[in-house]
Amino acid sequence: TKLLVNNLVHIFNYIVVIDCRHECAGRKGKDTVYCVCNATYCDDLDPITKQPAGNVLSYRSSQSGDRFKESQLKFTKQSDHDNADRITLTLDKSKKFQKIFGIGAAFTDAAAINIGSLPKDMSDRVIKDYFSASGIGFSMARIPIAGCDFSTHEYTYDDTKDDYSLAHFTMPDEEIKYKIPQINLAKQVAQHGLKLYGSPWNTPHWLNDKQLLKTQPDKQYETWANYFVK
């Protein structure tokens, strides 16, 4: 954005295409080419680096087999193209929209269990492919608080009825065995840090009692708040 703001009207001059560090080992699928990734080989990318003024990096994937193919785009103020081929980019830096905090994915039970079912080297590789500089570099992750629509069974962290002290609050294997180790690895390999945020799918059912929400709302809401803190 800064590059474009400082150079309001530019023209692409030429494009240099650079292949990824380890090329895709292609396998033909029904409609497209898939990249093989196993215990002995996976493709990966060179880390993305800040470009000098006038340069932009572009990445392209395609059905024909390109996978994050890197192109270096060069900007100049002059163009030999006809007016019909000219592209004009105009940005108003005084007009701002929403702020992007990061791009990422969710550590759901389904994802964590499937990744955790792989051999250790492969499961670590999957996390690095998502979050490291040699992968796609995700910088944010959502963590479902307890079970969600991508869980193998319905649960919360406290399914003991009327446990307002949360004495029976506990995390199941989905969290301890799978999600927490994978999240810790993602935090270790994320080049620019990893923002995490929790999102509940549902409260414990006993906190959803409509009558109690009318007669004892403070007790219900306070317990739900303490559940978040835990």
Side-chain angles (χ1 to χ4, degrees):
T1 301
K2 184 178 180 182
L3 166 67
L4 295 177
V5 167
N6 290 339
N7 304 276
L8 294 182
V9 180
H10 285 311
I11 304 298
F12 290 123
N13 188 29
Y14 58 90
I15 298 175
V16 178
V17 177
I18 301 174
D19 291 331
C20 63
R21 183 167 52 189
H22 292 149
E23 277 295 296
C24 165
R27 176 184 293 171
K28 185 173 176 56
K30 181 179 179 181
D31 301 314
T32 186
V33 174
Y34 297 91
C35 294
V36 175
C37 183
N38 54 39
T40 59
Y41 183 86
C42 271
D43 59 325
D44 63 8
L45 309 171
D46 282 319
I48 298 174
T49 57
K50 185 176 182 179
Q51 298 298 297
N55 289 13
V56 174
L57 291 181
S58 172
Y59 293 88
R60 181 187 70 196
S61 297
S62 68
Q63 282 190 323
S64 61
D66 289 336
R67 183 171 185 271
F68 297 108
K69 185 176 287 292
E70 181 183 294
S71 300
Q72 290 182 347
L73 310 179
K74 304 286 186 179
F75 284 98
T76 64
K77 291 186 177 181
Q78 303 298 322
S79 173
D80 296 329
H81 297 290
D82 295 333
N83 287 337
D85 298 327
R86 185 167 296 185
I87 299 172
T88 301
L89 304 175
T90 304
L91 281 79
D92 181 357
K93 65 180 180 180
S94 67
K95 189 174 183 180
K96 297 181 180 181
F97 298 90
Q98 69 271 25
K99 185 175 181 179
I100 297 175
F101 290 99
I103 297 175
F107 281 96
T108 63
D109 290 354
I113 291 171
N114 277 289
I115 293 172
S117 69
L118 298 170
K120 182 67 166 58
D121 288 348
M122 280 295 295
S123 64
D124 287 354
R125 178 61 192 251
V126 171
I127 298 297
K128 291 175 181 177
D129 280 348
Y130 278 114
F131 294 96
S132 76
S134 62
I136 56 179
F138 280 167
S139 60
M140 176 173 279
R142 176 175 64 87
I143 307 171
I145 296 176
C148 68
D149 55 338
F150 283 96
S151 297
T152 59
H153 61 104
E154 187 176 344
Y155 70 92
T156 71
Y157 295 148
D158 194 337
D159 291 317
T160 302
K161 184 174 172 58
D162 298 334
D163 183 21
Y164 290 99
S165 66
L166 299 177
H168 298 280
F169 184 100
T170 186
M171 289 186 173
D173 281 349
E174 285 90 342
E175 319 289 328
I176 304 299
K177 184 177 178 181
Y178 296 109
K179 285 198 277 189
I180 291 175
Q182 292 172 20
I183 290 167
N184 283 334
L185 177 59
K187 290 173 66 177
Q188 291 172 21
V189 301
Q191 184 180 18
H192 302 293
L194 183 64
K195 295 183 178 69
L196 302 170
Y197 70 96
S199 175
W201 186 254
N202 199 3
T203 66
H205 288 311
W206 49 273
L207 282 177
N208 276 333
D209 188 303
K210 292 183 179 179
Q211 184 61 33
L212 289 175
L213 284 169
K214 290 180 180 179
T215 60
Q216 304 180 52
D218 291 346
K219 187 176 182 180
Q220 300 295 103
Y221 291 132
E222 183 178 358
T223 304
W224 183 225
N226 288 333
Y227 180 95
F228 264 73
V229 172
K230 277 186 171 288

